[in-house]
Amino acid sequence: MSHSYKDLIVWQKAVSMVTEVYRATRSFPREETYGLTSQLRRSAVSVASNIAEGQGRISKPEFRQFLGMARGSSVEMETQIVIAGSLGYISHEIADRLAAKSGEVSRLLHGLMQSLQPRVVLEPGTRNRKPETLSSLRC
């Protein structure tokens, strides 16, 4: 595992995504300041923040849990981008660019979560057996 969340490519890309979201939401209507603008910004910030907080945790399962929350925030953000595009608050070009960034972050999060998944070590000759049958082999 990396020593700092700042070393994680997924965190760096998430922070870049936050910057783009803030730029894109500057032109949202004033009446959305406490609505979609705030919600979209908070979900984007939540992605990067959960990655950082998870990295600061003691165990891999805790880190995975926070990465899962970051993925959830990323999907939430994608939904809000679709809504903003449907309302005409952002162009399709900007919506597509933000959705692509969010998708990339989600894929990186998935890969990092997979790398933190506990590994099942099979004994030689047990490759195709179900895990629950392995305990009977150790008798």
Side-chain angles (χ1 to χ4, degrees):
M1 232 179 341
S2 203
H3 294 291
S4 170
Y5 62 89
K6 293 177 183 176
D7 296 330
L8 296 171
I9 293 169
V10 67
W11 179 84
Q12 295 166 7
K13 291 195 179 276
V15 169
S16 172
M17 180 178 71
V18 171
T19 304
E20 291 228 17
V21 165
Y22 267 76
R23 287 186 182 127
T25 56
R26 279 186 199 151
S27 62
F28 279 25
R30 192 158 192 74
E31 66 265 17
E32 287 295 342
T33 299
Y34 301 107
L36 192 55
T37 303
S38 174
Q39 191 70 20
L40 186 48
R41 287 176 174 184
R42 284 186 292 126
S43 61
V45 168
S46 179
V47 175
S49 297
N50 276 303
I51 295 166
E53 186 171 356
Q55 175 65 22
R57 295 296 173 139
I58 302 297
S59 69
K60 286 182 181 182
E62 284 182 299
F63 189 17
R64 280 190 88 241
Q65 179 181 357
F66 278 87
L67 294 176
M69 288 187 278
R71 272 186 68 199
S73 293
S74 181
V75 173
E76 179 183 354
M77 190 190 92
E78 286 179 30
T79 300
Q80 293 157 358
I81 290 166
V82 169
I83 293 167
S86 296
L87 292 170
Y89 294 165
I90 54 176
S91 69
H92 291 295
E93 178 186 329
I94 292 172
D96 289 346
R97 188 172 68 236
L98 290 173
K101 283 190 169 286
S102 180
E104 179 183 21
V105 168
S106 288
R107 284 187 299 280
L108 289 168
L109 283 167
H110 179 74
L112 183 53
M113 289 172 70
Q114 291 292 78
S115 76
L116 296 171
Q117 185 87 350
R119 305 261 188 247
V120 176
V121 179
L122 299 178
E123 296 174 8
T126 61
R127 181 177 178 156
N128 293 325
R129 294 188 188 177
K130 292 182 182 176
E132 60 267 9
T133 62
L134 290 178
S135 59
S136 64
L137 294 174
R138 296 186 181 129
C139 295

